[in-house]
Structure formats: structure tokens, C-alpha cells
Amino acid sequence: MLIRAYSSVWMIGGFVLIIYMGHLYITAMVVVIQIFMARELFNLLRRAHEDRQLPGFRLLNWHFFFTAMLFVYGRILSQCLVNTVTSDMVLYWLVSNLIKYHMVICYSLYIAGFMWFILTLKKKMYKYQFGQYAWTHMILIVVFGQSSFTVASIFEGIFWFLLPATLIVINDIAAYIFGFFFGRTPLIKLSPKKTWEGFIGASVTTIISAFMLANIMGRSQWLTCPRKDLSTGWLHCDPGPLFKPESYPLPGCISHWFSWKEISILPIQWHSLCLGLFASIIAPFGGFFASGFKRAFKIKDFGDSIPGHGGITDRMDCQMVMAVFAYIYHQSFVVPQTLSVEMILDQISMNLTFDEQQALYWRLGEILQQGFARMS
């Protein structure tokens, strides 16, 4: 228990420091977590005897992993990379061409891995090799694919990463506390220690915490401003209507007893209730899935990367489910669905060459001159 407490303190301290350092460092943290998770899951079905007969087969797993990483992060961070190098014409030309042929590069790397796998097939080892091939792809789709949504959320504003992640931690702690003191009724057979009392108490605590934390985090530009490039400087932006407080008058019975006549609420706090609801009711099923998975393989933990806590995967089961929901919710209900000047400029800088952009500039100038002529 003492080792677990020390590990928790170090993790929380390191996490706070990385949040303070910014988007790029948080992304690096996510990448490191993904690598550790992949290592733990690759080792789960590893058999030393078979691996000794297949030299270089482990390397093939990592080839597919880093190919998937290049594909996913290339799609997510391509515009940020372009915005970072726009001042240097040589780098801009190089990056633009890499982005243009990004899918071809990734597909070529995947096909190379596919051919590598076929050429290494060995008699009497087919079942093991194809099992490892399927297992590797399952890891890439279920684990890497889900956790990559985290990075997409980070660059929309640290708020969309930090609040969902914090709610999962709060829900986990509250479920333990309520279950320890009041737990009587078993919740699910996969996790015998989980109780209905802990589940309900944690749900109420998480939803209330979501509403309160959204008010605190929503007032920080460092957390709410989106990052449009890969720099690490301080951010200043118009936070938008969701992060601007609105006043609501209090009922007469309340204002009669207290000095408050109205209460200030950020519109984002209403959205946070949906995040809190998901974190408390749906996200725990990621933990139940992991529990069932470990029971199927007769293991206690996925690894021992964190002293007292088990493996990285043991800590990330609910976080992955939550990360996907947070990103989808943000894109569906928060991001404006209509085109904006900023969105059009992003598409122009990413998809048009410098000469095409210059031609567009002159063409827009002609259109504006014609419009001014008609107005006069």
C-alpha cells in the first residue's frame, strides 16, 4: 500500500508538470504510454520457445506499431506541422510533399511488413505466427487507435484532454471510497469487489465534480486555447462563447437567505455534465472489459511498469474509452459545423502548393476589386 501511495504521488506530480509544459509534452507523454502499453500486450501472448526459433519476429510487431503511429499522427498533426514551418520555404516544401505522399509512404511500410511476415513463415509455426499477426493488429486497432484520439483532443485545447482524464481518476477513487465504506451489493461478476453502492456514489461524485472542474479549468486560456502548431509558447486567444460566463438569476427563496442575487456559469459546464455522465456510467465498462480479459489469460496485471499499480494498461483501460467519447462529443456538439475563415485557410495551406496559393491570392484580389467597383 505504501509503494502504491508513493507511485501515485510521483505520477500526479509528473502529470501536473507535463500539463504545465504544454501540448507537445503531453503528446510525448501519450506516445510513451502507448509504447509501454504495446510492450505489455505484445508480451502477453509471447512464448519464449517459439520466439527463439523466429529471430526478428518481435521486430515485426514494432514495425507494424510504428507504421500505425506514423499514419495516425501524420493525419492528426499534419496541419500543425505545416503551420510550424511556414516561415521556411525549404522546410515548407519538404513537409508539404511528405504530407501529400503520407498515405503512400505508410501503405508502402505496411506492405513491406506484410511481405516480411509472409517470408518468415516457418513450418510447424504457422498457427503461432498467424496468432501473433492477428494479436498485433488487434492491439493497433483497439488500443492504439482509441488512445490516439487523446492527441487529437489535446490540440483542440488541453481542457478536452485534462477534464475527461481527471473525471476517470475521480470516478475510480470515489468508487473505491464508497465501496469500502458502504459497499454491500455486488455489481458485476467480472469484478467481485465492485458494488452498486460504490458505482452510484462514484457516479454522483463524478457528475458534480465535472460541473465544478469545468468552471475552474474553463477560465484558463492555457487550457482552453487550441494549439495550431507544434510550438511550446504561451497561448492567447478568444476563448469563444462556451468559455465566457453567463449570469443566471437565483430564485427569490435563495436570494432572500443569501447575499447572492445571481450565479455565474460557463456554458461549457452544461457540456461537462455529459462528460461526467459518460465517465461515471459507460467508461467503467472499459475496466470491466480489462478485468474479463485478464481472467481469460489468468493474469493479475498486464505488467509491472508502475510499482504497486501493475502495468500501464491497467491504468489506461477506462481512459481509452473516455478519450474516444470526449473527441467525438467535441467534434459533434461543440465544434461549429459550418465553414469558417480559419477552416478554409487551414485547407488552403495544407492542400495547395505555394504557387497555387499565390494564384489564389491574385484571383481573390481581382474578385475583391470587382466587388469594390460595383459598390462604388
Side-chain angles (χ1 to χ4, degrees):
M1 183 62 72
L2 191 61
I3 294 175
R4 186 183 180 96
Y6 279 133
S7 298
S8 300
V9 171
W10 278 104
M11 282 193 296
I12 293 170
F15 183 74
V16 171
L17 177 62
I18 291 172
I19 293 295
Y20 173 77
M21 294 173 72
H23 305 69
L24 206 56
Y25 293 92
I26 301 172
T27 301
M29 177 189 70
V30 173
V31 171
V32 170
I33 288 173
Q34 288 176 332
I35 292 172
F36 271 92
M37 289 176 65
R39 183 175 69 88
E40 291 172 358
L41 293 171
F42 284 151
N43 291 337
L44 193 60
L45 292 186
R46 186 176 182 179
R47 298 178 191 169
H49 175 70
E50 283 82 351
D51 281 354
R52 280 195 295 269
Q53 300 180 51
L54 299 167
F57 194 68
R58 287 293 113 192
L59 190 61
L60 182 59
N61 289 340
W62 290 107
H63 171 83
F64 283 123
F65 177 82
F66 286 109
T67 298
M69 181 176 287
L70 177 63
F71 176 76
V72 172
Y73 287 136
R75 302 283 287 185
I76 293 173
L77 302 179
S78 58
Q79 186 57 52
C80 293
L81 186 58
V82 169
N83 293 341
T84 305
V85 301
T86 47
S87 58
D88 190 310
M89 288 303 300
V90 176
L91 278 177
Y92 180 78
W93 176 84
L94 178 63
V95 168
S96 297
N97 279 280
L98 285 174
I99 291 173
K100 182 178 181 181
Y101 299 109
H102 167 254
M103 193 172 290
V104 173
I105 294 169
C106 293
Y107 181 71
S108 299
L109 288 171
Y110 179 82
I111 288 298
F114 176 73
M115 294 171 64
W116 180 0
F117 169 74
I118 298 298
L119 293 173
T120 56
L121 286 173
K122 196 171 182 179
K123 194 174 182 180
K124 296 182 180 180
M125 303 287 290
Y126 295 153
K127 186 175 181 180
Y128 175 73
Q129 287 180 280
F130 276 101
Q132 288 291 308
Y133 184 80
W135 178 240
T136 299
H137 283 69
M138 193 282 286
I139 292 172
L140 298 182
I141 294 170
V142 176
V143 177
F144 184 81
Q146 287 190 91
S147 56
S148 296
F149 280 93
T150 305
V151 175
S153 296
I154 291 168
F155 283 84
E156 295 291 347
I158 297 176
F159 176 93
W160 296 103
F161 159 75
L162 183 58
L163 180 62
T166 305
L167 293 180
I168 292 296
V169 175
I170 290 172
N171 186 74
D172 194 31
I173 294 172
Y176 175 80
I177 293 172
F178 279 94
F180 183 82
F181 287 103
F182 308 107
R184 297 290 183 275
T185 313
L187 175 63
I188 188 169
K189 291 182 179 179
L190 284 173
S191 297
K193 294 182 180 180
K194 304 288 185 182
T195 63
W196 274 105
E197 290 81 5
F199 183 77
I200 294 170
S203 298
V204 174
T205 303
T206 304
I207 292 170
I208 294 173
S209 299
F211 192 78
M212 296 172 64
L213 287 173
N215 185 283
I216 297 169
M217 296 180 186
R219 297 178 187 274
S220 168
Q221 285 196 6
W222 180 241
L223 299 180
T224 56
C225 289
R227 172 70 73 182
K228 297 298 182 182
D229 54 27
L230 299 180
S231 64
T232 57
W234 196 257
L235 286 171
H236 298 283
C237 69
D238 178 3
L242 283 178
F243 297 99
K244 293 179 180 177
E246 296 179 353
S247 297
Y248 295 86
L250 291 174
C253 57
I254 297 178
S255 59
H256 176 73
W257 292 101
F258 299 96
S259 58
W260 302 332
K261 300 299 180 183
E262 58 184 22
I263 186 171
S264 177
I265 295 177
L266 302 180
I268 194 64
Q269 290 180 254
W270 305 119
H271 289 284
S272 73
L273 294 176
C274 296
L275 295 176
L277 198 63
F278 188 92
S280 58
I281 296 178
I282 308 299
F285 280 83
F288 301 151
F289 176 86
S291 296
F293 199 89
K294 287 185 284 188
R295 285 176 177 273
F297 286 91
K298 297 179 173 61
I299 57 174
K300 182 177 184 294
D301 296 311
F302 284 102
D304 55 1
S305 305
I306 310 174
H309 288 267
I312 295 287
T313 310
D314 294 288
R315 298 295 93 202
M316 293 294 116
D317 43 18
C318 300
Q319 294 285 3
M320 290 189 297
V321 178
M322 188 67 199
V324 177
F325 174 76
Y327 179 77
I328 292 175
Y329 184 89
H330 177 266
Q331 295 297 310
S332 301
F333 301 107
V334 177
V335 173
Q337 300 301 312
T338 56
L339 285 174
S340 64
V341 173
E342 187 173 315
M343 292 169 64
I344 294 171
L345 289 175
D346 285 346
Q347 291 298 315
I348 290 171
S349 62
M350 186 166 58
N351 296 310
L352 298 184
T353 65
F354 179 75
D355 291 336
E356 290 171 334
Q357 291 178 27
Q358 200 171 31
L360 177 63
Y361 171 78
W362 292 114
R363 181 63 183 138
L364 284 174
E366 292 173 3
I367 293 172
L368 288 172
Q369 285 181 353
Q370 293 172 6
F372 289 141
R374 283 196 297 269
M375 289 174 64
S376 59

